[in-house]
């Protein structure tokens, strides 16, 4: 009898333990497969060592990773700002979609005012004026018919001197105002015409703009959100000495309060930053790391150590003659949001690849 009773007790105990586990598994089962699916679009530049755009790549040529795990690419489309010499049939045969309509390019030129910071450094004042003169030359002689350019400056607030325009005269006059730190106004010639791409329509105006752009980080975030209203890749040509703070060792460290949201706003609104170092050629300085980080994190390039500002302007322009748009599906836990880092490379290690470093997901 005792043996039978013990056996029954063991059986009951085992059953009582098993039932909650089964019930728990049944309750959890519907949630294990619940995910939020995000369509991720990454525009990717692929250039050779000379800066020439590589065309004709297909999905198998790219490696995309999230948290070190490979991602399957759904589609790949190649966009260019000109009619391609390579026959479209040859590209399609490799599985590459092709937008045969030449794409407009968008350049945002931002001069961070160095005059107030360079009272004891006349060479920096001269460099800023040189940057303006050579930017005007780039506008006059290098722009293509499908190029749109906007001109801004920053001292203690963001100033829009010319909204997106293709009028070379208006753009060159705006550059003069920007490098001389003159206030911007709402003159009709400085605001985009109806139907044209516009930054002004997405930016606060007047005193509100001053209040919202007290720091360069704020200005970059406001500018990124305004640029996000324009569809496609936007290229920010940022003339600067650098920004941010140095630690006790005199080294730059990204400010955790301001840098992450700045970088995320730029990436989320598809703005690639080409930081153009305004310091004299051959000069090293602590803030160059700030310019390098910003360019690297947004899929742009840090441009430095040159004798003519036409060199970085041409390099940024040539790098944007064509790009690949990668599309894939990413899965994230429900009711969560955050920033997902992404790594993009090609199987050919000799190619130079630039893409934004991540994207926002969730609410």
């Amino acid at each position: 009898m005792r043996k039978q009773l013990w056996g029954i007790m063991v059986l009951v105990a085992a059953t009582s333990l098993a039932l909650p586990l089964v019930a728990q598994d049944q309750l959890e089962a519907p949630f294990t497969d619940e995910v939020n699916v995000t369509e991720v679009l990454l525009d990717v530049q692929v250039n050779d060592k000379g800066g020439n755009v590589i065309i004709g790549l297909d999905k198998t040529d790219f490696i995309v990773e999230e948290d070190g795990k490979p991602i399957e690419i759904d589609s790949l489309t190649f966009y260019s700002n000109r009619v391609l010499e390579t026959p479209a049939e040859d590209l399609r045969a490799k599985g590459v979609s092709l937008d045969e309509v030449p794409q407009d390019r968008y350049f945002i030129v931002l001069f961070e005012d160095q005059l107030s910071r360079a009272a004891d450094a006349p060479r920096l004042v001269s460099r800023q004026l040189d940057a303006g003169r050579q930017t005007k030359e780039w506008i006059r002689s290098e722009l293509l018919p499908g190029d749109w350019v906007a001109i801004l400056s920053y001292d203690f607030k963001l100033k829009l001197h010319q909204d997106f325009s293709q009028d070379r005269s208006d753009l060159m006059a705006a550059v003069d105002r920007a490098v001389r730190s003159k206030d911007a106004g709402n003159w009709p010639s400085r605001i985009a015409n109806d139907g044209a791409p516009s930054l002004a329509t997405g930016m606060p105006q007047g005193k509100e703009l001053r209040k919202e752009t007290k720091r360069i980080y704020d200005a970059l975030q406001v500018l990124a959100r305004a640029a996000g209203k324009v569809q496609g890749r936007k290229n920010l040509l940022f003339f600067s000495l650098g920004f941010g703070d140095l630690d006790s060792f005199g080294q730059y460290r990204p400010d955790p309060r301001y840098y992450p949201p700045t970088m995320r706003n730029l990436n989320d609104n598809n703005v690639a930053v080409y930081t153009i170092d305004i310091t004299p050629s051959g000069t090293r300085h602590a803030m160059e790391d700030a310019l390098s980080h910003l360019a690297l994190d947004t899929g742009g390039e840090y441009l430095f150590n040159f004798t003519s500002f036409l060199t970085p302007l041409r390099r940024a322009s040539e790098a944007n003659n064509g790009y690949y748009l990668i599309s894939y599906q990413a899965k994230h836990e429900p009711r969560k949001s955050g920033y997902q880092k992404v790594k993009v490379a090609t199987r050919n290690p000799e190619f130079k690849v630039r893409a934004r470093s991540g994207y926002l997901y969730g609410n």
Side-chain angles (χ1 to χ4, degrees), residues 107-111 138 235-239 272 274 276 313 316:
F107 295 101
I108 303 169
V109 180
L110 173 61
F111 296 93
W138 174 72
N235 304 287
L236 175 57
L237 310 181
F238 181 28
F239 291 84
Y274 291 81
I276 302 176
L313 289 167

Side-chain angles (χ1 to χ4, degrees), residues 300-320:
E301 185 176 2
Y302 171 43
L303 302 164
F304 63 101
N305 199 21
F306 44 81
T307 56
S308 170
F309 284 99
L310 281 174
T311 300
L313 289 167
R314 284 170 176 162
R315 185 172 179 86
S317 180
E318 291 169 359
N320 283 278

Side-chain angles (χ1 to χ4, degrees), residues 31-40 66-67 71 328-342 358-363:
F31 295 96
T32 55
D33 294 328
E34 184 182 350
V35 294
N36 288 337
V37 179
T38 302
E39 182 185 22
V40 181
E66 290 189 358
D67 300 324
I71 299 295
Y328 66 89
Q329 302 293 319
K331 296 180 180 180
H332 300 282
E333 293 183 34
R335 297 177 295 279
K336 286 192 175 182
S337 60
Y339 184 78
Q340 176 63 57
K341 290 187 175 181
V342 181
Y359 62 89
L360 294 169
Y361 66 89
N363 297 328

Side-chain angles (χ1 to χ4, degrees), residues 4-14:
Q4 289 177 344
L5 241 119
W6 176 248
I8 292 171
M9 289 173 64
V10 170
L11 179 62
V12 170

Side-chain angles (χ1 to χ4, degrees), residues 16-301:
S16 64
L17 288 171
L19 283 174
L21 289 175
V22 172
Q24 186 178 4
D25 288 345
Q26 290 174 344
L27 286 172
E28 290 183 352
F31 295 96
T32 55
D33 294 328
E34 184 182 350
V35 294
N36 288 337
V37 179
T38 302
E39 182 185 22
V40 181
L41 300 174
L42 294 176
D43 52 272
V44 182
Q45 290 180 327
V46 185
N47 303 92
D48 62 17
K49 292 180 180 179
N52 301 304
V53 175
I54 302 296
I55 64 175
L57 301 180
D58 60 35
K59 291 190 291 186
T60 62
D61 292 309
F62 288 90
I63 303 170
V64 180
E65 294 180 344
E66 290 189 358
D67 300 324
K69 298 178 181 179
I71 299 295
E72 182 179 354
I73 298 173
D74 292 333
S75 66
L76 181 72
T77 304
F78 183 74
Y79 293 88
S80 177
N81 66 318
R82 59 191 66 191
V83 177
L84 297 176
E85 296 179 0
T86 303
E89 293 77 12
D90 292 352
L91 292 176
R92 292 196 183 96
K94 298 187 68 176
V96 181
S97 298
L98 176 67
D99 193 314
E100 295 187 64
V101 178
Q103 296 293 299
D104 289 351
R105 298 187 302 178
Y106 302 98
F107 295 101
I108 303 169
V109 180
L110 173 61
F111 296 93
E112 186 181 7
D113 176 33
Q114 312 300 326
L115 300 179
S116 59
R117 298 166 55 183
D120 298 323
R123 281 201 305 168
L124 291 179
V125 176
S126 176
R127 287 281 285 178
Q128 179 163 315
L129 296 176
D130 284 345
R133 283 192 292 268
Q134 288 157 22
T135 298
K136 290 195 296 180
E137 176 61 23
W138 174 72
I139 290 170
R140 187 189 66 79
S141 61
E142 306 266 340
L143 292 187
L144 300 175
D147 291 344
W148 295 88
V149 181
I151 308 296
L152 300 96
S153 67
Y154 181 84
D155 48 13
F156 304 104
K157 66 175 181 178
L158 187 64
K159 302 175 183 178
L160 177 61
H161 298 276
Q162 175 63 58
D163 209 338
F164 280 120
S165 175
Q166 295 178 322
D167 188 303
R168 286 170 169 78
S169 297
D170 286 347
L171 290 168
M172 289 189 288
V175 170
D176 280 334
R177 294 191 295 272
V179 296
R180 287 174 170 78
S181 193
K182 291 186 177 180
D183 281 338
N186 293 323
W187 287 270
S189 63
R190 305 182 193 181
I191 300 175
N193 297 323
D194 291 341
S198 174
L199 292 174
T201 56
M203 292 172 58
Q205 302 297 315
K207 294 181 180 179
E208 285 302 312
L209 182 59
R210 176 187 287 273
K211 287 170 55 179
E212 293 189 25
T213 58
K214 293 180 179 179
R215 292 179 291 265
I216 185 62
Y217 297 102
D218 302 326
L220 291 172
Q221 291 179 43
V222 166
L223 182 53
R225 290 191 292 269
K229 306 295 183 182
V230 179
Q231 188 174 7
R233 178 185 176 92
K234 281 78 60 176
N235 304 287
L236 175 57
L237 310 181
F238 181 28
F239 291 84
S240 176
L241 282 173
F243 56 91
D245 298 318
L246 302 178
D247 62 18
S248 58
F249 299 99
Q251 296 179 329
Y252 165 76
R253 290 290 182 270
D255 193 316
R257 298 169 298 172
Y258 307 124
Y259 183 76
T262 299
M263 182 263 293
R264 292 172 185 176
N265 270 275
L266 290 163
N267 282 331
D268 201 39
N269 290 285
N270 203 10
V271 179
V273 185
Y274 291 81
T275 47
I276 302 176
D277 198 329
I278 204 168
T279 55
S281 177
T283 303
R284 301 300 303 270
H285 59 102
M287 286 303 177
E288 64 188 33
D289 285 343
L291 300 176
S292 179
H293 283 201
L294 186 62
L296 181 64
D297 287 340
T298 59
E301 185 176 2

